[in-house]
Amino acid sequence: FCQLAGNPACADTACACPQGCAAGVAWKHANTVVFRNVAKAHGCADDSVLLTSPSGYFRDPADLHEASGGSCQHSIITQLLADSWSTYQSAVGTGPVWQCFHGSHIASVRYLHLQTFCHSGSFHGMPTSNHYVASCVLMSAAGQAEALAARMASMIR
């Protein structure tokens, strides 16, 4: 994640991503990066799951919530939602999508990432209303990013 996100802290480290780190693996935005998960969703016509990470490092949603007293949480989640939405719509398929963070206590990768998959699908126990497992919102339009970011932020434990 660190290499794909372009985080300067890992610029001199070897690529550790199963997808590789070559050009064309990721969609880079101003403050985020989006790439395909090697794991697949279930119940989707296209089983792609996109992962969206900020360029800066946050361990998990709780770390983002605590960073700088939570002052950057809303803007970062808004950007993650907006960038994952636009990338999914242009690279995978159109229509509503689930946008989820794994719960901070169960996330297997210690680099904040949003998971995006089709609205009719499921992925690693998501979507769920159990916020210990995950925080998920169903996004149907780009203009929902700010409101959904506030809702996601209120779910983070």
Side-chain angles (χ1 to χ4, degrees):
F1 284 67
C2 189
Q3 291 98 351
L4 288 175
N7 188 305
C10 59
D12 296 329
T13 61
C15 179
C17 302
Q19 300 90 328
C21 297
V25 170
W27 295 270
K28 297 195 185 276
H29 298 271
N31 298 304
T32 68
V33 64
V34 182
F35 54 98
R36 289 183 196 270
N37 195 336
V38 294
K40 303 296 181 189
H42 302 282
C44 300
D46 185 321
D47 59 3
S48 297
V49 176
L50 297 186
L51 303 177
T52 306
S53 291
S55 300
Y57 175 75
F58 298 93
R59 182 184 64 246
D60 53 40
D63 188 39
L64 175 61
H65 178 74
E66 295 164 6
S68 301
S71 63
C72 60
Q73 177 178 240
H74 185 263
S75 64
I76 289 174
I77 295 173
T78 299
Q79 196 64 61
L80 291 169
L81 290 168
D83 291 347
S84 60
W85 168 265
S86 66
T87 304
Y88 193 97
Q89 300 301 306
S90 65
V92 179
T94 58
V97 294
W98 283 108
Q99 306 257 43
C100 302
F101 287 125
H102 275 303
S104 298
H105 302 290
I106 64 167
S108 60
V109 174
R110 294 296 178 205
Y111 202 106
L112 180 69
H113 58 285
L114 184 70
Q115 303 179 66
T116 306
F117 53 95
C118 77
H119 76 283
S120 62
S122 63
F123 180 70
H124 291 180
M126 302 177 284
T128 180
S129 59
N130 181 343
H131 298 156
Y132 183 83
V133 174
S135 301
C136 297
V137 293
L138 184 61
M139 190 166 180
S140 301
Q144 294 178 306
E146 278 206 46
L148 292 177
R151 194 153 94 205
M152 277 192 112
S154 72
M155 296 178 202
I156 294 173
R157 296 179 181 207

